[in-house]
Amino acid sequence: MFSTSRIFILLILISCVFSSCNRVVAEEEEQDDSYFFHAIKAQKDGNEKEAEELFEKGSALCATSLLSRRCFEKLAETAPAEKRDEACNALIEKYDDDRAKLCAVKIWSKNNDFDKVAEIAKNLSYKTSPNELSYLCLTSLIKTGDKIVHEKVREWFSTRKYTSEHQKFFQEYKALSKLYSTKSKDNEDGSIFDENIAIMEFRNEIYRLSYGGALLCLEKDEVKAEFFPDGLSDEMISDIGKACLYGRKNSYQTIPILQKYIKDESQSSYYLHLYTGRIFERTGKGNTAAAEEYKKAMDFSFSEKTFDDALWYYLRAILATSSQNALIEAEKYCEKWHDAEEFEEFFDTLAIRLVTGKNWKGIYRAYEKMSEYMSDESASQFAYISARLIDTKRLSLSDIRDVWTIIDSQASKVPWDVLEVSDKAYRRALYSGMRPYYSVAAARQLDDDNVLFSDVFYRHKNTRAFQRDIDAETLLLGYIKFDLADEMYNEWLNLRDGISLEVATKLAQAYQEIGSDSDNRYSKALRMISYAAARDWTTPDRKAAEQLFPRNFQPMIAESCAKYGVGEPLFLGLVRSESYFDPTISSAVGAAGLSQLMESTASDVARKLKMQSFDLNDAATNITLGTYYIAELTKRLDDSKILALFAYNGGISHVRSWLKSARLEYGEDLPNDLFLEALPFSETREYGRKVVGAAAIYSYLYYGKSISSAFADIME
């Protein structure tokens, strides 16, 4: 865009934006990142001139490249009118990436400098650039009357995931009908404008979940296959598949539409078979037929993810007809999948099918045959259940040996000591990673009071690479050092992928310290540390553990728990699982506040407590109502804490029904941990695991209990 000499001139200009050109940064001044943070503080205090001077110095003298860049960006944002273009151009020339362009484009758009934006817009890649940047650039092309906008709109709307930016631009683009000719020189039968409108209408219907309307667009042939001479993007294929799948009750009849748009090429064939399989499943044409389509899709997969997606659908379709066959097929493919965590839901469903079918050998077979290929969570689940089946005499040595004759015919490997088998399985269950339920459960069964937090959060194998971003960490820690924690969070959202657990611990602690009982800072702090712990597989130390399991609202919780006879660790685990300590949160179904109570439940409890009115987003009130309610459920369920938790999530009538069914099915009471594995509601199963695991950790960290005894206190 500019010559080398032009770049040099622009960089000089940017250094003079807020001061006379006679004042330059002295060469002898040392590099110092603090310029940026002092500038931010000055800006907050309303000292704009001082801030400008500090940003200027920081652009040249910040030691960390990311901080130097932030100074450049701030200079561009605050530049006076006479220096604005030079500042924005200098930013783009220095960094030449989408972030720099977005920063400049925002500034130009805000000041109605659409000709400047249009220069960027003409050369932008709308297949890869941020949607916000694409929106602003295309809007500028409309404002300047440049007809290249039609070509760029086609690129953006036919290749990218549809977002709110697309929807907003769609309305603006439709208004062009009076400004542009509806005939294209290249297409006598219509116009590129009309074609774009058809594509946009179709994708907007999908975005609005109006699948019937989207299917109508396809049936009327408004969106033609020939609009895409280079083939359809994954996003377009996905939307066409959704329209065919959900747009009509008898979606089997829409398969010809799929075939019309998805040509016989490797990538297209993959989607054709995948969506045909989904249509077969949805219309009841048969899970076997669907499975065959998914198997064909695997043959046409073009990436690790598409293979895993097709395999997941395939195994799920097999599981719908036979858990035993699903087990066999999973064994066949377990060495071929790429991301074991993608199959956790399948294995959780397989586990409940095997448990409710009393296929104890199947549980043990899955553990021995596939634990090496499962995620830590799934492997721990099958290991723990296997060991418990042995302990409760549901799985015998003869059963174990039968399984071994199937999975390994070498006689030397066949186990002869059943206690040795269960002990080994429990020890494997200790390593369940970030979700501690099976770790704490195994600690109890091993009767090991010496299991530590670091043992519970140990990862058996590291399957995800983590790359630390030192510049990003320096920037975020700087916000903390200069008492700018509130300004830090938005930066963290953009930079979080490269933040280590060590640094995230410090960030979370600082953010927690500025939190209050009426805002969501506690929740944000917990999200920061949890995100880092999931990416950086470093085992959390004590400080990290306390940030992962904080005691926010502790005085209120302690008082209310003491009043109603509820264990503090249990209620802390409940609140952490329900709301992540956000008192302002509300769920899609209307549950509100820290303990996520429904209005009807809260009204009933409030009446019993003789409350005239209540606000579920008031922390103290919510805690009072929540502790009373869990205490009441516990009493109504024979003082069982774990059953009370199940009822808190799934309803007390459901729990009583499940207990009755379990007694009829198994002929005796199941231990509570195995009863959990037989619960028909997946949400309640996972809820129980989350709260029990968290409560055990809270007991260990703050209340002087071993993890083993804490688990027993809740479950037994």
Side-chain angles (χ1 to χ4, degrees):
M1 184 182 295
F2 297 94
S3 65
T4 303
S5 59
R6 176 64 170 156
I7 296 173
F8 177 75
I9 292 170
L10 289 175
L11 292 176
I12 293 297
L13 285 170
I14 191 68
S15 70
C16 299
V17 169
F18 300 107
S19 62
S20 72
C21 291
N22 293 326
R23 180 175 52 78
V24 296
V25 178
E27 291 184 1
E28 62 270 15
E29 289 189 68
E30 295 183 0
Q31 289 186 319
D32 188 349
D33 285 338
S34 68
Y35 286 115
F36 174 76
F37 301 106
H38 285 306
I40 294 292
K41 290 177 77 74
Q43 202 173 46
K44 283 191 67 178
D45 293 339
N47 300 324
E48 294 295 338
K49 185 64 177 177
E50 180 185 354
E52 293 160 5
E53 293 175 353
L54 289 167
F55 282 134
E56 177 193 337
K57 279 193 173 185
S59 67
L61 291 174
C62 279
T64 302
S65 60
L66 182 58
L67 281 137
S68 175
R69 175 174 185 145
R70 290 295 187 269
C71 287
F72 264 98
E73 292 170 351
K74 289 292 184 180
L75 283 171
E77 289 172 8
T78 56
E82 65 272 15
K83 298 296 183 182
R84 186 181 303 133
D85 290 348
E86 288 88 346
C88 290
N89 283 327
L91 177 65
I92 293 172
E93 288 295 340
K94 182 171 178 61
Y95 296 105
D96 192 27
D97 58 19
D98 283 337
R99 180 183 173 93
K101 292 173 185 174
L102 179 58
C103 182
V105 163
K106 280 182 175 179
I107 295 165
W108 282 326
S109 296
K110 183 179 179 180
N111 292 283
N112 298 323
D113 293 333
F114 298 114
D115 288 332
K116 293 288 184 182
V117 180
E119 290 302 311
I120 299 291
K122 292 174 185 177
N123 300 299
L124 193 69
S125 170
Y126 294 88
K127 293 181 180 180
T128 58
S129 295
N131 281 324
E132 183 181 8
L133 176 58
S134 295
Y135 167 77
L136 292 172
C137 284
L138 291 173
T139 301
S140 74
L141 292 177
I142 291 178
K143 299 288 187 182
T144 58
D146 195 322
K147 292 189 178 183
I148 198 176
V149 68
H150 300 305
E151 172 191 332
K152 301 302 183 182
V153 163
R154 175 72 59 88
E155 181 181 352
W156 190 40
F157 271 81
S158 64
T159 62
R160 301 297 296 280
K161 181 178 179 180
Y162 199 94
T163 63
S164 59
E165 283 97 350
H166 286 86
Q167 188 179 49
K168 183 179 179 182
F169 182 80
F170 175 39
Q171 303 305 321
E172 298 174 12
Y173 188 73
K174 283 196 297 185
L176 290 177
S177 58
K178 296 180 181 179
L179 302 177
Y180 287 94
S181 167
T182 60
K183 295 296 180 183
S184 168
K185 295 178 181 179
D186 300 325
N187 186 353
E188 295 179 357
D189 297 325
S191 71
I192 188 172
F193 178 82
D194 290 337
E195 292 172 5
N196 284 348
I197 290 293
I199 294 169
M200 297 161 89
E201 289 276 13
F202 166 72
R203 297 211 67 197
N204 196 58
E205 290 292 277
I206 294 290
Y207 182 73
R208 294 173 52 244
L209 304 183
S210 176
Y211 298 115
L215 182 61
L216 195 61
C217 293
L218 301 180
E219 290 178 322
K220 288 182 176 180
D221 204 27
E222 294 173 351
V223 181
K224 300 179 184 294
E226 53 263 33
F227 290 176
F228 313 96
D230 298 326
L232 288 94
S233 67
D234 289 353
E235 294 296 338
M236 280 298 298
I237 293 174
S238 176
D239 281 0
I240 291 170
K242 290 173 184 174
C244 293
L245 183 60
Y246 303 116
R248 181 178 295 167
K249 187 174 183 180
N250 186 6
S251 52
Y252 179 73
Q253 296 175 355
T254 66
I255 290 177
I257 295 177
L258 275 175
Q259 294 171 331
K260 173 183 173 181
Y261 285 95
I262 304 178
K263 305 301 182 184
D264 188 19
E265 299 171 0
S266 177
Q267 184 169 334
S268 297
S269 295
Y270 169 84
Y271 286 109
L272 178 61
H273 291 302
L274 187 75
Y275 277 103
T276 300
R278 294 185 67 185
I279 288 171
F280 281 156
E281 277 193 277
R282 187 169 185 269
T283 55
K285 291 292 181 181
N287 288 293
T288 301
E292 287 302 312
E293 292 296 323
Y294 298 139
K295 198 169 185 179
K296 291 174 184 176
M298 281 190 279
D299 293 335
F300 286 103
S301 63
F302 49 90
S303 67
E304 292 181 353
K305 186 180 188 311
T306 54
F307 177 86
D308 285 355
D309 286 347
L311 177 55
W312 183 87
Y313 279 112
Y314 173 70
L315 293 175
R316 189 189 67 168
I318 297 294
L319 182 57
T321 59
S322 168
S323 58
Q324 185 65 23
N325 288 343
L327 173 61
I328 294 169
E329 290 303 300
E331 289 175 0
K332 189 184 300 182
Y333 285 100
C334 64
E335 296 182 34
K336 296 182 180 180
W337 60 56
H338 304 89
D339 187 350
E341 291 184 11
E342 292 297 317
F343 295 87
E344 287 181 351
E345 181 185 349
F346 162 76
F347 277 116
D348 190 45
T349 306
L350 177 62
I352 189 174
R353 297 284 176 82
L354 294 173
V355 167
T356 54
K358 293 190 281 190
N359 187 349
W360 313 134
K361 290 182 183 180
I363 290 285
Y364 178 70
R365 176 175 169 175
Y367 155 61
E368 286 287 7
K369 180 70 174 179
M370 292 186 285
S371 60
E372 179 183 351
Y373 306 102
M374 295 174 178
S375 70
D376 277 341
E377 178 72 12
S378 296
S380 297
Q381 178 181 13
F382 278 84
Y384 180 79
I385 298 173
S386 295
R388 287 293 284 145
L389 292 174
I390 292 171
D391 285 357
T392 58
K393 311 298 183 185
R394 290 173 170 83
L395 196 62
S396 67
L397 178 60
S398 175
D399 293 330
I400 293 170
R401 295 179 66 187
D402 286 346
V403 170
W404 272 86
T405 61
I406 298 172
I407 64 175
D408 193 329
S409 59
Q410 299 180 45
S412 61
K413 291 188 176 182
V414 176
W416 289 92
D417 187 337
V418 71
L419 294 178
E420 183 179 330
V421 174
S422 65
D423 184 79
K424 177 185 174 184
Y426 281 135
R427 296 199 179 281
R428 174 61 189 90
L430 281 174
Y431 309 130
S432 62
M434 284 302 298
R435 286 172 283 182
Y437 171 76
Y438 290 107
S439 295
V440 300
R444 172 56 185 167
Q445 299 307 326
L446 289 167
D447 198 21
D448 189 346
D449 286 343
N450 297 313
V451 171
L452 307 175
F453 181 88
S454 56
D455 298 323
V456 168
F457 279 86
Y458 173 79
R459 267 68 172 268
H460 186 63
K461 54 183 179 292
N462 188 344
T463 60
R464 295 180 182 269
F466 170 71
Q467 187 171 353
R468 189 171 183 176
D469 187 338
I470 300 299
D471 276 13
E473 293 183 340
T474 301
L475 174 59
L476 296 177
L477 288 171
Y479 280 112
I480 303 305
K481 180 180 178 181
F482 288 90
D483 297 321
L484 294 165
D486 262 336
E487 281 71 21
M488 175 268 295
Y489 188 76
N490 284 337
E491 284 275 22
W492 173 81
L493 288 173
N494 294 320
L495 302 171
R496 56 187 174 179
D497 286 353
I499 306 305
S500 65
L501 181 59
E502 175 189 358
V503 168
T505 302
K506 298 175 183 178
L507 301 178
Q509 182 177 356
Y511 212 71
Q512 183 188 41
E513 287 173 356
I514 65 170
S516 73
D517 295 343
S518 58
D519 61 40
N520 63 359
R521 290 190 183 96
Y522 294 149
S523 176
K524 288 179 176 179
L526 184 50
R527 292 185 191 286
M528 283 191 279
I529 185 73
S530 298
Y531 191 87
R535 291 184 64 82
D536 176 5
W537 281 29
T538 304
T539 301
D541 60 14
R542 178 78 188 202
K543 287 184 178 179
E546 290 178 355
Q547 289 304 314
L548 281 165
F549 294 88
R551 285 198 299 177
N552 302 316
F553 306 96
Q554 199 273 333
M556 297 180 195
I557 289 175
E559 180 181 355
S560 194
C561 284
K563 184 174 182 178
Y564 298 116
V566 176
E568 285 183 45
L570 179 69
F571 196 72
L572 283 165
L574 183 150
V575 170
R576 185 186 187 277
S577 302
E578 289 281 4
S579 65
Y580 245 42
F581 295 101
D582 183 355
T584 68
I585 198 170
S586 294
S587 74
V589 296
L594 290 172
S595 59
Q596 286 291 279
L597 289 170
M598 296 293 292
E599 186 78 18
S600 57
T601 302
S603 295
D604 183 56
V605 174
R607 186 168 55 254
K608 293 175 181 178
L609 292 174
K610 295 182 170 48
M611 287 186 181
Q612 298 301 314
S613 62
F614 61 88
D615 177 4
L616 283 175
N617 290 123
D618 174 71
T621 301
N622 194 291
I623 288 168
T624 297
L625 296 174
T627 49
Y628 182 91
Y629 183 51
I630 192 69
E632 181 184 51
L633 289 173
T634 304
K635 291 176 184 176
R636 293 171 66 185
L637 289 164
D638 300 325
D639 292 327
S640 171
K641 297 172 185 176
I642 186 59
L643 294 182
L645 287 178
F646 295 155
Y648 195 95
N649 177 264
I652 192 168
S653 61
H654 281 129
V655 172
R656 286 171 171 162
S657 175
W658 297 336
L659 284 168
K660 183 178 179 180
S661 296
R663 293 187 183 106
L664 291 173
E665 181 68 26
Y666 301 102
E668 57 181 300
D669 288 346
L670 278 177
N672 283 331
D673 55 348
L674 289 181
F675 178 59
L676 182 152
E677 303 298 336
L679 294 178
F681 285 6
S682 60
E683 180 185 327
T684 303
R685 292 198 304 275
E686 186 56 26
Y687 179 79
R689 293 170 189 146
K690 283 182 179 179
V691 178
V692 172
I697 298 301
Y698 275 113
S699 293
Y700 168 80
L701 288 176
Y702 302 106
Y703 298 93
K705 286 189 175 182
S706 69
I707 289 173
S708 171
S709 61
F711 181 84
D713 181 57
I714 299 170
M715 295 293 289
E716 297 176 0

Coordinates of all heavy atoms in Angstrom, one line a residue, residues 27 29 45 59 138 213 272 287 292 313 366 427-428 454 466 491 552 592 610 615 645 650 657:
E27 N 16.8 8.7 22.9 CA 17.3 7.4 22.6 C 17.8 6.7 23.9 O 17.8 5.5 24.0 CB 18.4 7.5 21.6 CG 17.9 7.9 20.2 CD 19.0 7.8 19.2 OE1 20.1 7.5 19.6 OE2 18.7 8.2 18.0
E29 N 16.6 6.8 26.8 CA 15.6 6.2 27.8 C 15.4 4.7 27.7 O 15.5 4.2 26.6 CB 14.2 6.9 27.4 CG 14.1 8.3 27.8 CD 12.7 8.9 27.7 OE1 11.8 8.5 28.5 OE2 12.5 9.7 26.7
D45 N -8.4 8.6 34.7 CA -8.6 9.8 35.5 C -8.9 11.0 34.7 O -9.0 12.1 35.3 CB -7.2 10.0 36.3 CG -6.9 8.9 37.3 OD1 -7.9 8.2 37.7 OD2 -5.7 8.8 37.6
S59 N 4.8 3.4 22.7 CA 4.8 2.8 21.3 C 6.3 2.5 20.9 O 6.6 1.6 20.1 CB 4.1 3.7 20.3 OG 4.8 4.9 20.2
L138 N -17.9 -4.1 4.3 CA -19.0 -4.2 3.3 C -20.0 -3.0 3.5 O -20.5 -2.5 2.5 CB -19.8 -5.5 3.5 CG -19.0 -6.8 3.1 CD1 -19.7 -8.1 3.4 CD2 -18.6 -6.8 1.6
G213 N -39.0 -22.6 6.5 CA -38.8 -21.5 5.5 C -37.5 -21.7 4.7 O -37.5 -21.4 3.5
L272 N -23.2 -35.6 2.2 CA -24.3 -36.3 1.7 C -24.7 -37.5 2.5 O -25.8 -37.7 2.9 CB -24.1 -36.7 0.2 CG -25.3 -37.4 -0.5 CD1 -26.5 -36.6 -0.5 CD2 -24.9 -37.8 -1.9
N287 N -32.1 -47.3 12.3 CA -30.8 -47.0 12.7 C -29.7 -47.8 12.0 O -28.6 -47.3 11.8 CB -30.7 -47.3 14.2 CG -31.4 -46.2 15.0 OD1 -31.1 -45.1 15.1 ND2 -32.5 -46.7 15.7
E292 N -25.1 -47.4 8.2 CA -24.4 -47.6 7.0 C -24.0 -46.3 6.3 O -22.9 -46.2 5.7 CB -25.3 -48.5 6.0 CG -25.4 -49.9 6.5 CD -24.1 -50.6 6.5 OE1 -23.3 -50.5 5.6 OE2 -23.8 -51.3 7.6
Y313 N -21.5 -40.5 15.2 CA -22.8 -40.7 14.7 C -23.0 -42.2 14.5 O -24.1 -42.8 14.8 CB -23.1 -40.0 13.4 CG -23.5 -38.5 13.7 CD1 -22.7 -37.5 13.3 CD2 -24.7 -38.2 14.3 CE1 -23.1 -36.2 13.5 CE2 -25.1 -36.9 14.5 CZ -24.3 -35.9 14.1 OH -24.7 -34.6 14.3
A366 N -15.2 -53.2 28.3 CA -14.9 -51.9 27.7 C -13.7 -51.3 28.5 O -12.8 -50.7 27.8 CB -16.1 -51.0 27.9
R427 N -7.2 -47.9 41.1 CA -6.1 -47.0 40.9 C -6.1 -46.3 39.5 O -5.6 -45.2 39.4 CB -4.8 -47.7 41.1 CG -4.7 -48.3 42.6 CD -3.3 -48.6 43.1 NE -3.4 -49.1 44.5 CZ -3.5 -48.3 45.5 NH1 -3.5 -47.0 45.3 NH2 -3.6 -48.7 46.7
R428 N -6.6 -47.0 38.5 CA -6.8 -46.3 37.2 C -7.9 -45.2 37.4 O -7.7 -44.1 36.8 CB -7.2 -47.3 36.1 CG -7.5 -46.6 34.8 CD -6.3 -45.8 34.3 NE -6.6 -45.0 33.1 CZ -7.0 -43.8 33.1 NH1 -7.2 -43.2 34.3 NH2 -7.3 -43.1 32.0
S454 N -3.6 -33.0 44.3 CA -2.7 -33.2 43.1 C -2.9 -34.6 42.5 O -2.8 -34.7 41.3 CB -1.2 -32.9 43.5 OG -0.8 -33.8 44.5
F466 N -0.2 -27.4 24.5 CA -0.4 -26.0 25.0 C 0.8 -25.2 24.7 O 1.9 -25.6 25.0 CB -0.7 -26.1 26.5 CG -0.7 -24.7 27.2 CD1 -1.8 -23.9 26.9 CD2 0.3 -24.3 28.0 CE1 -1.8 -22.6 27.5 CE2 0.3 -23.1 28.6 CZ -0.8 -22.2 28.3
E491 N -9.4 -8.1 27.9 CA -8.1 -8.6 27.3 C -8.0 -10.1 27.4 O -7.6 -10.8 26.5 CB -6.9 -7.9 27.9 CG -6.7 -6.4 27.5 CD -6.0 -6.3 26.2 OE1 -5.9 -7.2 25.4 OE2 -5.4 -5.2 25.9
N552 N -16.4 -18.3 47.9 CA -17.1 -17.1 47.8 C -18.4 -17.1 48.6 O -19.0 -18.2 48.8 CB -17.4 -16.8 46.4 CG -16.1 -16.7 45.5 OD1 -15.1 -16.2 45.9 ND2 -16.2 -17.4 44.3
A592 N -32.8 -19.1 38.9 CA -32.1 -17.9 39.2 C -31.2 -17.9 40.4 O -31.4 -18.7 41.3 CB -33.1 -16.7 39.3
K610 N -41.9 -17.9 56.0 CA -42.7 -16.7 56.3 C -42.1 -15.5 55.7 O -42.1 -14.4 56.4 CB -42.9 -16.6 57.8 CG -43.8 -17.7 58.4 CD -44.0 -17.6 59.9 CE -45.1 -18.5 60.4 NZ -44.9 -19.9 60.0
D615 N -36.0 -11.8 46.6 CA -35.3 -11.5 45.3 C -34.3 -12.6 45.1 O -33.3 -12.7 45.9 CB -34.7 -10.1 45.4 CG -33.8 -9.8 44.1 OD1 -33.8 -10.6 43.2 OD2 -33.2 -8.8 44.1
L645 N -29.5 -34.5 46.6 CA -28.9 -33.8 45.4 C -29.6 -34.2 44.1 O -29.8 -33.4 43.2 CB -27.4 -34.1 45.3 CG -26.5 -33.5 46.3 CD1 -25.0 -33.9 46.1 CD2 -26.6 -31.9 46.2
G650 N -33.4 -33.3 39.7 CA -34.3 -34.1 38.9 C -35.7 -34.1 39.4 O -36.6 -34.6 38.8
S657 N -39.3 -42.6 42.1 CA -39.7 -43.6 41.1 C -38.4 -44.4 40.6 O -38.5 -45.6 40.4 CB -40.2 -42.8 39.9 OG -40.5 -43.6 38.8

